[in-house]
Amino acid sequence: MADGEEAPLPNSWEKDLAEALEEGGCDFETVRNIVQGRPLPPVLRAKVWKIALNVVGKGDSLASWYGCLDLPEQSIIHKDCQELIDQLSVPEEEKSVLFLDIESVITFYCKSRNVRYSSSLGWIHLLKPLVQLQIPRSDLYNSFYAIMNKYIPRDCFLKGRPFHLFRLLLQYHEPELCSFLDTKKMTPDSYALNWLGSLFSYSCSPGVTQAIWDGYLQQADPFFIYFVMLIILVNAKDVILAQESESKEEMMKFLEASPGSLEVDDIEDLFSLAQYYCGKTPASFRKDNHSLFGSSLLGLKDDDTDLSQALCLAVSVSEILQANQMQGEGVRFFVVDCRPAEQYNAGHLSTAFHLDSDLMLQNPSEFAQSVKSLLEAQKQSIESGSIAGGEHLCFMGSGREEEDMYMNMVLAHFLQKNKEYVSIARGGFMALQQHLADINVEGPENGYGHWIASTSGSRSSINSSVDGDSPNGSSDGKGVKSLVNKMTVALKTKSVNLKEKVISFIENTSTPVDRITFTLPWPEKSSMERHVSSSDRLGKPYRGVKPVFSIGDEEEYDTDEIDSSSMSDDDRKEVVNIQTWINKPDVKHHFPCNEVKENGHMFPSHLLVTATHMYCLREIPSRRGLSYIQSRQALNSVVKITSKKKHPELITFKYGNSNTSGVEILAVERYLIPNAGDATKAIKQQIMKVLDALES
């Protein structure tokens, strides 16, 4: 610097921040108003972070501790702390003191929280940005404790709940990318464990990490890290999808290291995009999972929702009602009621579009046309500014598991077609009824009364103030059916008296739909004949025990029995050539089919029957002609074959064993078989041969 030239003065906001911090008593809101999300000056970072973490003035938690470093895993802690010290630019004379401070912080935390230390926890990486602040040991511990408590989700380990939640978020916004990673069996915990566990300190340079933490701590929203993670994946989407031929290991290495390419100048854009996606996400994402963060006392009540089995993101009925009453930006839902027609007609959300999920099996062509009409109705409702309009599709069932299986199949197809913004109404229509009852919807001051309608002439049990059009002919607002509701009625009645534009979009079957089209692998209607009846019951005793093998109708699925889908679908399978197996000399019968899971997903498959066993080969979409051996069942373990009365092509096989106390069901498999009558007859005959042989 030339003589007489002064160092440039800091920005005015930096001076304001320095003065506010110098005066003392500066609270978090004051800091946020001054900084407004900008990267912090290094000299002020320690003070601001301590305020953001609410550790200013906190006592020394380690003051009464004797300092015994005697945990069973102490040698691992010691080694990891030494590695951290080696990464830091610290004067030689200060290393020993800093080393002891770090080891003491980790050891005391483990003892006070009764946690067993492991290097995979990533605490060393989490401590690194804090150590670089050069703060006293008491502040180091308090800051570390605060971050662990507020910003690191519980169960942050392999196959942990936080990563199942992140997958649902990824699926909601980027279904194509999510599907691609699912196909590669790359779950979020396999590449994002260190992202979340270290708040990106593991992968990013110190400067980038500090910039991320500056913004993240100012957000004061623990869920915001999920959207930062999402943007990193979205940014790398094209590269990821182009790596189809790469090995799983190489792709995981690329993904895990991808935050390392960030630079300090990227953080502002990164956070802006994260804010955008945050605003496009249902509030239920946070509200329903708040127990992931915070003290363990708040999380003692186990959440009974298994996110690993969730088909898609769930939304509360209260959010659905509130969102569509709000004007302007934000998440707005287009609700799709998938219950049977009689239930829908008895009472439904007045803004909901009806899509009878039973049509998917009963009349595939009509179902496909209904889907086109649905998407057209969604488009029109958005353009008209209707309260029913929303770009976020939310599917609503009855709330009863056995009835909602077909809705899940419909939902699964939308997801398989990479439709973004797809969710499900938690608890279905039953939850909606309960919510309206809980908030006393019939009160005069309440604004929800217009939401329940009936199309069958009967009044809703919750509210009877709505049915039919208003005298002024308005197609929107309180007390009337929405345009979407009229379109739904049109689909059911084909009435010529409906508005011209409603009829035209229903009858114009050639109108292209840009967003999604369906090509359904269902049997033709002509094949929907009765194949299996209760009069077909046959069977022979199992070694003196009453007959247990039978063929008959199935009124409901036995939801309390074991489904083979609960078994691992990733680790147990052998890859085989489909045609080679079909041509094996011991294969007596081959039936192309679709394996149907409880959640509605269907997988193109092949049933092969030998003299003693039945095999299911599931096709591998990315490897033409190859399949997994999905299941191998002995024919003498089949205890029951049933079909649905409405859907005779949907066949359920139940496997188990028999003893004097009865039949024990060990597995259940369901298949959609185009020629179900021929298939069940052939399988039944082969089973009888096996039973005859066993008896003789």
Side-chain angles (χ1 to χ4, degrees):
M1 184 179 296
D3 291 342
E5 196 174 82
E6 295 181 359
L9 293 173
N11 296 320
S12 60
W13 71 267
E14 293 181 356
K15 290 194 294 183
D16 292 342
L17 178 61
E19 290 173 2
L21 294 172
E22 190 66 31
E23 290 173 0
C26 181
D27 61 17
F28 181 52
E29 284 306 316
T30 301
V31 170
R32 287 177 61 169
N33 290 334
I34 295 174
V35 180
Q36 297 182 6
R38 290 171 286 214
L40 295 167
V43 294
L44 302 178
R45 181 170 284 120
K47 290 184 178 181
V48 173
W49 282 14
K50 285 164 62 177
I51 292 172
L53 293 170
N54 194 28
V55 299
V56 176
K58 290 289 178 76
D60 186 357
S61 301
L62 283 72
S64 59
W65 180 50
Y66 292 108
C68 296
L69 306 175
D70 56 357
L71 290 173
E73 61 273 19
Q74 199 67 49
S75 60
I76 301 175
I77 297 175
H78 190 88
K79 174 178 173 293
D80 289 348
C81 291
Q82 186 60 59
E83 290 180 357
L84 174 56
I85 290 294
D86 293 340
Q87 296 173 21
L88 301 173
S89 300
V90 182
E92 196 65 35
E93 62 273 13
E94 298 178 10
K95 284 187 176 181
S96 59
V97 175
L98 184 58
F99 176 87
L100 182 59
D101 285 351
I102 298 171
E103 187 169 8
S104 298
V105 165
I106 293 177
T107 303
F108 183 74
Y109 184 86
C110 287
K111 289 188 173 186
S112 63
R113 306 288 291 178
N114 194 27
V115 177
R116 183 174 181 83
Y117 179 81
S118 167
S119 298
S120 62
L121 293 171
W123 292 356
I124 289 296
H125 305 290
L126 202 60
L127 276 164
K128 187 176 179 180
L130 298 175
V131 170
Q132 291 170 331
L133 297 178
Q134 300 180 10
I135 53 180
R137 185 182 72 169
S138 59
D139 286 338
L140 180 63
Y141 177 80
N142 290 335
S143 298
F144 174 70
Y145 182 95
I147 288 177
M148 290 292 297
N149 186 54
K150 184 174 181 179
Y151 293 106
I152 302 299
R154 68 174 45 83
D155 300 339
C156 188
F157 45 68
L158 291 174
K159 299 183 180 180
R161 181 181 174 87
F163 301 101
H164 297 312
L165 180 62
F166 179 68
R167 183 195 166 276
L168 294 177
L169 181 67
L170 177 63
Q171 180 192 59
Y172 193 79
H173 291 282
E174 289 290 340
E176 180 186 11
L177 180 56
C178 181
S179 177
F180 177 82
L181 294 175
D182 286 348
T183 301
K184 294 290 186 180
K185 300 180 183 177
M186 295 176 60
T187 54
D189 56 317
S190 66
Y191 56 83
L193 179 61
N194 287 316
W195 296 6
L196 192 55
S198 72
L199 304 182
F200 293 108
S201 175
Y202 176 86
S203 305
C204 296
S205 67
V208 171
T209 301
Q210 289 170 344
I212 291 176
W213 285 30
D214 286 346
Y216 186 37
L217 296 181
Q218 288 178 64
Q219 289 286 335
D221 174 14
F223 283 97
F224 192 74
I225 197 71
Y226 276 91
F227 297 96
V228 176
M229 292 164 60
L230 178 63
I231 298 305
I232 289 175
L233 277 185
V234 171
N235 186 56
K237 177 180 176 179
D238 292 341
V239 178
I240 296 170
L241 296 179
Q243 295 184 357
E244 171 70 33
S245 59
E246 295 290 336
S247 67
K248 178 180 177 181
E249 291 71 22
E250 288 298 319
M251 292 185 65
M252 281 199 299
K253 287 180 182 178
F254 167 77
L255 283 177
E256 187 174 25
S258 56
S261 61
L262 289 171
E263 299 180 0
V264 174
D265 292 341
D266 299 326
I267 305 307
E268 183 179 355
D269 290 339
L270 175 68
F271 273 59
S272 295
L273 286 169
Q275 287 280 19
Y276 172 80
Y277 276 79
C278 186
K280 290 285 189 179
T281 303
S284 296
F285 173 76
R286 283 183 172 82
K287 292 180 180 178
D288 293 345
N289 297 285
H290 64 87
S291 61
L292 278 178
F293 297 94
S295 67
S296 59
L297 293 177
L298 297 177
L300 286 177
K301 184 180 178 181
D302 292 335
D303 194 321
D304 58 1
T305 304
D306 185 358
L307 294 180
S308 67
Q309 299 300 314
L311 190 57
C312 66
L313 202 64
V315 178
S316 68
V317 292
S318 61
E319 180 178 3
I320 294 170
L321 296 181
Q322 292 167 5
N324 283 31
Q325 288 195 121
M326 297 172 62
Q327 299 298 322
E329 296 296 323
V331 175
R332 293 171 62 83
F333 299 99
F334 185 86
V335 180
V336 182
D337 193 323
C338 292
R339 294 175 299 150
E342 60 272 13
Q343 292 186 28
Y344 176 85
N345 291 336
H348 58 270
L349 195 65
S350 62
T351 56
F353 185 101
H354 185 228
L355 179 66
D356 191 343
S357 56
D358 284 353
L359 288 176
M360 198 172 186
L361 295 180
Q362 293 176 338
N363 194 330
S365 60
E366 184 178 340
F367 174 78
Q369 179 57 35
S370 296
V371 170
K372 288 185 178 182
S373 300
L374 182 158
L375 296 170
E376 182 64 25
Q378 181 189 26
K379 178 182 176 182
Q380 290 189 19
S381 64
I382 293 174
E383 292 175 349
S384 66
S386 167
I387 59 172
E391 60 180 341
H392 298 252
L393 278 179
C394 185
F395 290 80
M396 178 177 287
S398 68
R400 290 177 285 270
E401 184 178 354
E402 65 277 7
E403 293 179 1
D404 289 343
M405 179 179 177
Y406 299 107
M407 178 198 67
N408 291 339
M409 294 172 68
V410 172
L411 186 53
H413 270 287
F414 274 82
L415 295 172
Q416 289 169 356
K417 296 296 182 181
N418 296 329
K419 184 77 169 70
E420 63 181 6
Y421 302 152
V422 171
S423 62
I424 187 171
R426 177 178 288 102
F429 191 73
M430 285 200 308
L432 175 65
Q433 289 179 305
Q434 185 61 52
H435 175 70
L436 294 175
D438 290 344
I439 63 175
N440 191 21
V441 72
E442 295 176 340
E445 74 287 349
N446 198 290
Y448 293 109
H450 64 289
W451 286 111
I452 297 297
S454 169
T455 57
S456 61
S458 63
R459 302 288 176 170
S460 167
S461 61
I462 292 180
N463 191 286
S464 60
S465 64
V466 293
D467 196 15
D469 296 333
S470 61
N472 62 8
S474 170
S475 64
D476 203 354
K478 296 183 178 181
V480 297
K481 296 173 187 172
S482 65
L483 173 64
V484 174
N485 197 32
K486 289 184 177 182
M487 289 177 174
T488 300
V489 175
L491 284 172
K492 301 305 297 181
T493 65
K494 300 290 192 294
S495 170
V496 295
N497 297 320
L498 292 171
K499 292 182 179 180
E500 182 178 350
K501 69 175 182 178
V502 177
I503 295 177
S504 66
F505 99 76
I506 294 172
E507 294 181 343
N508 185 11
T509 58
S510 63
T511 301
V513 179
D514 295 331
R515 301 280 294 191
I516 180 173
T517 57
F518 275 78
T519 304
L520 299 171
W522 302 110
E524 294 298 324
K525 188 173 182 180
S526 59
S527 68
M528 292 288 195
E529 60 188 62
R530 189 77 186 100
H531 295 298
V532 186
S533 71
S534 56
S535 62
D536 294 330
R537 298 182 185 275
L538 296 172
K540 296 226 175 189
Y542 275 14
R543 301 181 183 275
V545 180
K546 64 179 181 179
V548 293
F549 168 62
S550 62
I551 300 179
D553 297 324
E554 184 177 16
E555 294 295 336
E556 297 181 346
Y557 284 116
D558 299 321
T559 55
D560 58 336
E561 292 183 350
I562 298 171
D563 192 306
S564 61
S565 61
S566 63
M567 303 178 186
S568 170
D569 281 341
D570 295 331
D571 304 324
R572 64 179 184 177
K573 304 190 189 87
E574 175 186 353
V575 177
V576 298
N577 184 286
I578 298 173
Q579 199 58 47
T580 299
W581 269 62
I582 292 174
N583 294 335
K584 280 189 172 186
D586 58 336
V587 172
K588 296 182 177 296
H589 303 285
H590 165 229
F591 304 104
C593 63
N594 279 277
E595 182 189 5
V596 181
K597 292 297 186 181
E598 279 288 349
N599 59 13
H601 274 300
M602 294 195 303
F603 302 92
S605 304
H606 301 264
L607 282 181
L608 304 183
V609 182
T610 69
T612 58
H613 287 78
M614 184 167 70
Y615 295 82
C616 173
L617 306 185
R618 181 194 289 181
E619 295 180 8
I620 305 175
S622 60
R623 303 172 69 181
R624 187 177 180 86
L626 299 182
S627 67
Y628 294 118
I629 301 180
Q630 179 66 13
S631 73
R632 175 184 182 274
Q633 302 286 0
L635 291 176
N636 64 353
S637 69
V638 178
V639 295
K640 197 170 187 180
I641 303 175
T642 56
S643 69
K644 297 288 284 185
K645 283 186 176 180
K646 290 184 178 179
H647 315 300
E649 268 69 23
L650 190 59
I651 306 299
T652 299
F653 294 90
K654 298 180 181 179
Y655 308 93
N657 51 49
S658 176
N659 50 49
T660 54
S661 61
V663 178
E664 179 185 8
I665 302 297
L666 300 177
V668 178
E669 295 175 357
R670 297 179 178 90
Y671 300 98
L672 191 71
I673 309 175
N675 298 310
D678 296 339
T680 53
K681 180 180 179 181
I683 294 170
K684 177 192 70 174
Q685 290 174 345
Q686 196 59 42
I687 291 173
M688 298 311 300
K689 290 180 181 178
V690 172
L691 296 181
D692 287 340
L694 287 173
E695 191 176 73
S696 61

